Amino acid sequence: MNMQQEAWRTVRFGSLVRQVKESTDPMADGLERFVAGEHMDSRQLHISRWGEVKGSSLGPAFHRRFRPGQVLYGSRRTYLRKVSYAEFDGVCANTTFVAESAEPGELLPDFLPFVMTADPFHRHSESWSRGSVNPYVNWPDIAKYEFPLPPLSEQRRIADLLWSFERAARVKATALKAARQAELAALAELYDEPEWPVRRVDEAGEVQLGMKREPKVHEGTDLRPYLRVANVGDDQLSLDDVLGMNFDSDAFAKYALRPKDVLLVEGNSSRNQVGRAAMYRGEIEDCCFQMTLLRFRAGGEVLPEFALGWFRRCQHFGAFARVSAGTNIAHLPAGLLSAQPIPVPPLSVQRRVVERLEAARELRTTLSEDLARTRNLMQRTLNVLLQGPGASADAATAA
């Protein structure tokens, strides 16, 4: 940057940003869309998903109106870093803060989302969060945040650059969405062969529920890593937050994971997520699994990758949701999964199916990694630019 240091000034967030508390009756006011926490994606300003007000049973918390140009911030579990830029009228819950520039002549509305996306803002928000199970932050505590504010011309330059990043990321996200839809279409098509022989799942392999997590296993001499629901996504494992508990020799023999074991989510508050499946590929040595997950270990008649594809098809197209038990928390118990049907065509046919699925998976993975690189570069650039004119190119690498 060529701006002089004195052109920047340190300001308090609350002096330039206000929380908007505009109440609304969404049906009476003709609002069509609502945005809940699950519609806001981490590290993505663009709101690509929402719910339809008409036909939805919105609770009393959904009375906060937002308008285009305002910023939505998830005040619960702030470590998720959910900041979204509104491009349409809608309603959100009162646990989502609606913010806007109170002084557009000093803080450009287009610049505000990046102030709230920068790492220092999130660190401040997390440090002021309260509660352990469902931590939250209050607006007066966010208002205490202080940051370096550039002059308007520099705000415009930075915002234009960062919005160009966001537009590029949006294009890549659209391509990734199309790849995922194509993959789901392949899952629907490739298994649609009614003449294939069918077995029970427990006839095609072994079904095992994970070990119960209880106080007595929190300590011991055989602490080992284990996977839980939070680690199992759709055809991918999230291994950034892996916990450990004590598995003695007998427990380890029973609950240890082997490469190509398939893990399925046993219980979830969302019925559509029950049975979500991913394959363990030996990423963590001596890893086990907890009782919120089921393990399927394929027998000789079925390829593990073929079984994974079938389970993903059952989850995405509602077969697991239809048979799951429970009300508030839906469950797919081991006995219920064991009794479900699974096609078992000849291994040569299974290999052809797996090859097609692997091609779709590779495309999706490549696009996902490309999008992640773009967002990471955007975040590093943002962090450096918002440090002020003293920031160096080396800081971008360290950010």
Side-chain angles (χ1 to χ4, degrees):
M1 295 184 187
N2 57 12
M3 300 298 299
Q4 298 299 313
Q5 180 73 37
E6 56 269 22
W8 291 61
R9 58 194 177 95
T10 299
V11 299
R12 178 168 285 210
F13 187 80
S15 67
L16 295 178
V17 182
R18 63 169 160 251
Q19 182 187 12
V20 180
K21 295 185 176 181
E22 182 181 357
S23 295
T24 181
D25 178 337
M27 287 295 291
D29 292 337
L31 297 178
E32 297 179 353
R33 300 174 181 176
F34 72 89
V35 172
E38 61 264 26
H39 299 135
M40 299 169 64
D41 295 310
S42 301
R43 300 200 307 162
Q44 178 176 311
L45 290 175
H46 174 59
I47 301 174
S48 58
R49 297 174 291 122
W50 54 81
E52 300 293 335
V53 171
K54 187 176 180 180
S56 297
S57 300
L58 294 179
F62 280 84
H63 62 81
R64 192 73 75 216
R65 181 169 187 162
F66 61 84
R67 298 177 183 273
Q70 294 174 332
V71 182
L72 308 185
Y73 180 66
S75 69
R76 296 293 188 267
R77 294 184 293 165
T78 55
Y79 56 84
L80 295 176
R81 301 188 170 202
K82 294 190 173 184
V83 179
S84 299
Y85 184 76
E87 297 173 295
F88 53 84
D89 284 299
V91 62
C92 60
N94 55 15
T95 54
T96 298
F97 294 152
V98 180
E100 67 180 11
S101 173
E103 301 289 345
E106 296 185 54
L107 174 62
L108 292 178
D110 281 356
F111 187 72
L112 174 60
F114 301 110
V115 173
M116 299 177 67
T117 306
D119 286 348
F121 175 85
H122 290 299
R123 286 195 293 267
H124 173 92
S125 183
E126 289 176 46
S127 70
W128 283 94
S129 292
R130 309 174 187 186
S132 55
V133 177
N134 190 21
Y136 64 93
V137 68
N138 292 319
W139 180 265
D141 294 325
I142 289 180
K144 299 172 185 175
Y145 173 61
E146 294 185 347
F147 64 98
L149 180 71
L152 288 175
S153 60
E154 192 70 358
Q155 289 182 44
R156 172 52 57 200
R157 188 184 76 85
I158 293 173
D160 287 347
L161 174 62
L162 295 175
W163 279 116
S164 68
F165 267 109
E166 180 65 25
R167 287 191 293 272
R170 188 183 303 191
V171 170
K172 294 180 179 184
T174 299
L176 176 58
K177 181 179 179 180
R180 284 176 172 152
Q181 291 173 337
E183 187 177 14
L184 292 181
L187 286 172
E189 173 195 348
L190 292 172
Y191 288 89
D192 189 20
E193 297 291 344
E195 68 274 13
W196 283 350
V198 175
R199 304 280 190 272
R200 283 171 51 111
V201 168
D202 61 359
E203 293 173 337
E206 172 197 292
V207 176
Q208 175 65 55
L209 182 67
M211 189 170 86
K212 184 177 181 180
R213 184 173 179 266
E214 50 189 345
K216 68 179 183 180
V217 297
H218 291 175
E219 298 178 355
T221 58
D222 296 302
L223 291 175
R224 305 179 191 273
Y226 72 92
L227 301 184
R228 63 198 197 282
V229 169
N231 302 119
V232 177
D234 176 28
D235 193 32
Q236 60 183 7
L237 296 179
S238 176
L239 303 176
D240 294 335
D241 182 22
V242 174
L243 304 180
M245 62 181 175
N246 195 68
F247 291 82
D248 61 26
S249 57
D250 290 339
F252 181 70
K254 184 175 183 179
Y255 300 111
L257 293 171
R258 299 176 189 169
K260 296 197 174 184
D261 281 346
V262 179
L263 294 169
L264 299 91
V265 171
E266 190 275 344
N268 199 278
S269 58
S270 172
R271 193 170 296 274
N272 291 331
Q273 293 301 312
V274 171
R276 189 175 66 224
M279 180 174 286
Y280 172 76
R281 303 176 190 272
E283 294 90 341
I284 300 176
E285 187 177 357
D286 291 342
C287 193
C288 301
F289 67 110
Q290 188 217 9
M291 70 178 297
T292 55
L293 298 176
L294 296 161
R295 181 188 67 199
F296 174 78
R297 183 167 289 165
E301 273 194 300
V302 63
L303 298 176
E305 297 87 353
F306 182 86
L308 172 63
W310 174 252
F311 293 145
R312 292 185 66 213
R313 187 182 195 269
C314 290
Q315 186 251 314
H316 280 288
F317 295 99
F320 285 153
R322 286 191 291 272
V323 300
S324 61
T327 52
N328 294 332
I329 302 294
H331 290 276
L332 184 67
L336 193 55
L337 175 62
S338 296
Q340 297 307 300
I342 183 172
V344 185
L347 290 176
S348 59
V349 174
Q350 293 184 42
R351 291 189 188 98
R352 289 197 294 270
V353 170
V354 169
E355 287 174 3
R356 290 275 305 276
L357 291 179
E358 185 56 34
R361 184 179 191 272
E362 185 176 347
L363 175 60
R364 186 242 305 162
T365 301
T366 299
L367 292 173
S368 179
E369 291 173 348
D370 185 32
L371 175 60
R373 283 192 295 269
T374 298
R375 293 209 177 279
N376 288 335
L377 178 59
M378 176 181 174
Q379 189 68 43
R380 293 198 302 269
T381 303
L382 182 160
N383 289 335
V384 170
L385 292 177
L386 268 62
Q387 286 180 35
S392 66
D394 292 340
T397 305

